Amino acid sequence: AITGKVLHDVIPLPASVLHDGRYLWLVDKKNKLIVKEVEVSWSEQELIFVAKDQIPENVRVISSNLSTPVMGMQVNPVNAVQP
């Protein structure tokens, strides 16, 4: 049997949404970009797990690439899914 720590209150996300190993790009209610530094609790295969309390409420995670992301810039979300 494999034993280990159980993770609680984490959000699984595709590993591809993590930039430079520690940043998530988020969109707030006003469609403004938030660049949020996070600590990954666990990663496996193509998923990362981030503690819920590291992600602000009422935001969406950007899964596509932005050529020049600037904090606070206006973005146009399509097919948005909340974490």
Side-chain angles (χ1 to χ4, degrees):
I2 298 174
T3 59
K5 181 171 92 169
V6 176
L7 297 175
H8 297 283
D9 297 320
V10 293
I11 297 173
L13 296 167
S16 60
V17 302
L18 193 65
H19 302 276
D20 296 327
R22 60 187 179 154
Y23 297 101
L24 290 178
W25 295 344
L26 308 171
V27 180
D28 67 13
K29 287 197 273 189
K30 295 179 181 178
N31 292 336
K32 301 279 186 179
L33 175 66
I34 300 169
V35 178
K36 175 78 170 130
E37 185 171 2
V38 295
E39 185 177 321
V40 175
S41 300
W42 181 259
S43 63
E44 67 178 30
Q45 296 170 357
E46 296 298 316
L47 287 177
I48 60 168
F49 296 84
V50 176
K52 280 184 182 180
D53 63 1
Q54 293 187 80
I55 300 178
E57 290 187 23
N58 301 311
V59 297
R60 292 161 285 169
V61 176
I62 297 175
S63 60
S64 56
N65 202 14
L66 300 174
S67 58
T68 311
V70 176
M71 183 75 155
M73 72 185 253
Q74 190 75 32
V75 294
N76 184 20
V78 291
N79 297 330
V81 177
Q82 285 193 285

